[in-house]
Amino acid sequence: MNDKHATQDNAEQQLELSQYFPYQLSTLDTAVSRSMSQLYSGRFNLNRQEWRVMAALGNKNAMTAKEIATHCNLEKMQVSRTVSRLKDSDLILQQEDNDDRRYTRLSLTEKGKTIYRKLVPLLLAREAFILSALSEDELQQMLDLMNKIGQKAQELQQWG
């Protein structure tokens, strides 16, 4: 393995932050997320978690809070707070699950669906603009590499 951070003596190993993969990934995530959030925060007064929940519900129609947490990669408490804010804004509806009354199903209201339908094409256009820096082959390679890296990260999580 190529370790660009290592010095000859491991006791003196140093980390160059600008070359550190997790930092580079975080910086990229921040740049991309900010370019997207300009739309949903600026035009629709939604934060990142609110938009994620709305996007999940826009795709799935109705979900439990637990399903949303898993689908959106959010913590249970984040989902709870986000659902409260979205309900207060009349963007989502919470109804008792017909199959199991212990659970509630969340879905977009008409107002929520309208915002979702307005935002999706705008966000997809921004995504296309960002990804236009890559050829089709490069895009596929990037997606493959991200999948490989994600699998390794999950492997580490399992190890503890």
Side-chain angles (χ1 to χ4, degrees):
M1 176 176 12
N2 181 9
D3 189 353
K4 59 187 167 192
H5 304 296
T7 59
Q8 288 183 349
D9 181 359
N10 280 345
E12 294 180 23
Q13 257 187 331
Q14 295 197 4
L15 182 128
E16 180 59 45
L17 189 59
S18 65
Q19 299 299 309
Y20 185 54
F21 175 72
Y23 175 78
Q24 291 174 327
L25 190 60
S26 176
T27 301
L28 177 62
D29 173 55
T30 299
V32 171
S33 293
R34 284 182 181 164
S35 71
M36 297 297 175
S37 73
Q38 289 173 323
L39 292 174
Y40 54 75
S41 67
R43 295 187 191 182
F44 298 97
N45 199 29
L46 298 170
N47 66 31
R48 187 177 187 178
Q49 290 83 17
E50 290 165 341
W51 169 244
R52 277 190 190 179
V53 169
M54 288 184 65
L57 293 173
N59 266 348
K60 302 282 187 180
N61 292 327
M63 301 172 78
T64 66
K66 185 177 181 179
E67 291 169 336
I68 289 171
T70 301
H71 185 75
C72 295
N73 197 26
L74 295 170
E75 297 293 326
K76 191 176 173 181
M77 188 56 75
Q78 285 178 303
V79 172
S80 178
R81 288 186 195 127
T82 300
V83 164
S84 291
R85 288 191 305 268
L86 290 171
K87 281 175 30 187
D88 290 346
S89 299
D90 193 33
L91 297 175
I92 64 171
L93 181 64
Q94 189 171 16
Q95 295 177 307
E96 208 172 69
D97 189 315
N98 291 335
D99 298 327
D100 190 338
R101 293 179 184 244
R102 293 175 296 171
Y103 298 102
T104 58
R105 309 283 296 164
L106 301 162
S107 59
L108 293 176
T109 61
E110 283 306 314
K111 181 180 174 183
K113 289 176 186 176
T114 299
I115 290 173
Y116 176 82
R117 286 191 291 267
K118 287 179 182 178
L119 265 170
V120 167
L122 299 171
L123 290 166
L124 290 176
R126 285 197 176 207
E127 177 193 43
F129 177 80
I130 291 168
L131 295 177
S132 71
L134 304 175
S135 69
E136 286 296 320
D137 288 343
E138 289 171 328
L139 176 59
Q140 188 57 55
Q141 185 178 25
M142 180 192 69
L143 294 173
D144 292 343
L145 293 170
M146 287 171 43
N147 187 40
K148 282 183 173 181
I149 292 167
Q151 288 174 358
K152 282 296 189 187
Q154 286 178 347
E155 191 177 321
L156 275 178
Q157 287 177 18
Q158 290 174 354
W159 292 352

